[in-house]
Structure formats: structure tokens, C-alpha cells
Amino acid sequence: LCLGSMTFGAGADREESFKIMDRYQEAGGNFIDTADVYSRGVSEEIVGSWLKQKRRDDFVIATKVRFAMGEGPNDIGLSRKHIMSSVEDSLRRMQTDYIDLYQVHRFDEETPLEETLRALDDLVRQGKVRYIGCSNFAAWQIAKAHGISALHSLHRFESVQPQYSIISREIEQELLPFCESEGVGVIVYSPLGRGLLTGK
């Protein structure tokens, strides 16, 4: 079970976020997912501050890159330039020298997939990232990425993060069978339908 931190810095302030992570750890959890765009970096900062009080290697920390973090044309997307600057910003905010799982937040139609994968592969080889994954990708997009990775001996997407709940079951048609076939990990988000299934 992974703890998502999209509300850290927004719906939950620093103190409340720390309480949530403490409770999660007490329950045996060790996998925390965030993204640079969550509260414009504040979520990563909160996770990093909390993590600094712990033994880093006891946790799996995931974050994401893709969406706009500034006003410039290079402050968005999955270009090599944006990925390379974004990973440094995420490492700084989280006060860590490596990210366990670095995910692209959504497909980028304006950047060649090979450029994105080569940049991510460099980060793995540099030791700044342990594994790479994707979020909100269709099965064909991961298959295309895997083909490029195989062709050029690059690290491949090892996981995908899609929305999945009793009211959002689209991934059962193609994505889940593909992931089972190809050994791709699935980290679902919004399993409670963003609160709808809790009766809110």
C-alpha cells in the first residue's frame, strides 16, 4: 500500500501531513508517492523534512515530472532539459541524494519518447534515480516506450500509475492485461474515487 501525498501542503498542512506519515509508518507502510507539481513543490518539501528524521533506506520514495513548474517554455513537459532540471529540484526539496521511483506524470505528445527515455536512463546510470515509471499512460504508450528501451538498451518503465476504483475501471480492458503480460507494476491512485466512495 502506497501513501499518496497530493494533499500535503494544500488540504493538509505540515503538522497534519507529519501525523499522516507517522500513522502510516506505524501501520507498517514504507512507500510514499508525491510529485513536483503537488502544491508547487511543497508536498515534496514536507515529505523530505519528515524523511530527514528517518533512516532513508527504510523507505521507497516516488515522485513525478511533467507538468508546469514555471512560466517558461522549458518549465513543462518531458524534454531532456526539463527532466534534468526538475530532478535536481526534487532532490533538493526532498533532501535526498536519490529517488527510488521517478515517474513521468503524463504522456508528452510534443517531445520524442526516445529523448525522454534517454534522459531518464542517464539519471539511473548516474545513481540519482533507482527505477523509472509512468503515470496516466495507455497500454500502447508503454509498449512503444518498451520497444524504444529494448532497441537502444535503455532502462524501461517498470511501473504505471493509473486511476482505478469501482467507478473508474477502464484499465481492466487493456492496461492491466498488458501489465500482467509484461511484468509492469501497477500503482493505482484514487481507489476511493476521490472521496466519492466514502460517502462525502
Side-chain angles (χ1 to χ4, degrees):
L1 291 175
C2 177
L3 176 65
S5 62
M6 187 173 72
T7 61
F8 290 3
D13 61 17
R14 179 188 170 96
E15 182 180 355
E16 186 70 16
S17 299
F18 271 45
K19 288 180 180 178
I20 292 170
M21 288 184 282
D22 286 342
R23 181 68 188 94
Y24 174 67
Q25 183 185 19
E26 289 167 6
N30 71 338
F31 182 13
I32 300 175
D33 175 74
T34 185
D36 58 1
V37 76
Y38 295 167
S39 302
R40 299 286 284 191
V42 177
S43 175
E44 286 185 332
E45 290 174 355
I46 290 173
V47 170
S49 295
W50 182 84
L51 191 64
K52 201 69 178 172
Q53 307 170 11
K54 312 294 179 178
R55 206 174 84 90
R56 172 66 180 90
D57 287 346
D58 289 343
F59 294 90
V60 175
I61 303 299
T63 192
K64 309 179 202 70
V65 59
R66 162 66 170 89
F67 293 114
M69 289 296 289
E71 302 300 323
N74 295 311
D75 296 330
I76 188 172
L78 296 176
S79 67
R80 181 179 189 85
K81 181 173 179 60
H82 187 232
I83 288 173
M84 291 305 190
S85 62
S86 294
V87 76
E88 296 297 338
D89 291 340
S90 290
L91 289 167
R92 175 180 49 78
R93 283 190 290 262
M94 294 193 293
Q95 304 179 62
T96 182
D97 56 1
Y98 71 94
I99 295 165
D100 295 285
L101 176 62
Y102 199 45
Q103 304 159 103
V104 295
H105 213 150
R106 196 185 75 191
F107 194 76
D108 180 3
E109 300 84 357
E110 298 183 1
T111 303
L113 198 45
E114 184 177 337
E115 177 181 340
T116 298
L117 290 166
R118 285 190 181 277
L120 294 171
D121 183 76
D122 284 346
L123 294 179
V124 175
R125 294 178 191 279
Q126 291 167 11
K128 295 178 180 179
V129 169
R130 296 292 191 255
Y131 299 94
I132 60 172
C134 56
S135 180
N136 301 303
F137 268 45
W140 72 265
Q141 293 168 332
I142 307 175
K144 181 177 180 180
H146 278 188
I148 293 171
S149 293
L151 183 64
H152 299 290
S153 298
L154 305 173
H155 286 87
R156 71 171 208 163
F157 288 139
E158 297 294 349
S159 63
V160 62
Q161 190 175 107
Q163 183 174 191
Y164 187 49
S165 72
I166 195 76
I167 58 171
S168 180
R169 301 174 61 176
E170 297 82 4
I171 66 170
E172 294 175 359
Q173 297 174 19
E174 287 191 16
L175 186 61
L176 290 183
F178 169 82
C179 291
E180 184 175 17
S181 169
E182 301 305 310
V184 177
V186 180
I187 310 163
V188 305
Y189 68 85
S190 294
L192 295 177
R194 302 184 184 223
L196 184 65
L197 297 175
T198 69
K200 286 184 179 179

